[in-house]
Amino acid sequence: MAWALRDPRVTSVLVGASSAAQLESYVAAVDRLGFTEDELAALDRSAKEADVLA
């Protein structure tokens, strides 16, 4: 979720939580929007491999 929210083109992220703890984890993600270049490269690579990112 934090990876998607760090992109200024993204205005919202829809999530489905199956527990209160999972929802709290999602909400906490907004406190960690900064990524290192290596982290972004790894996330982007994984997203491309899964056809999530063109």
Side-chain angles (χ1 to χ4, degrees):
M1 186 167 102
W3 172 78
L5 288 173
R6 61 104 176 91
D7 187 331
R9 298 171 296 172
V10 175
T11 58
S12 65
V13 176
L14 299 177
V15 298
S18 60
S19 68
Q22 191 176 34
L23 181 59
E24 289 171 1
S25 173
Y26 290 155
V27 171
V30 299
D31 292 331
R32 170 94 170 47
L33 299 180
F35 293 94
T36 67
E37 290 297 319
D38 289 341
E39 289 172 324
L40 284 175
L43 289 164
D44 288 344
R45 190 170 39 256
S46 293
K48 286 178 184 174
E49 290 171 2
D51 287 329
V52 174
L53 184 66

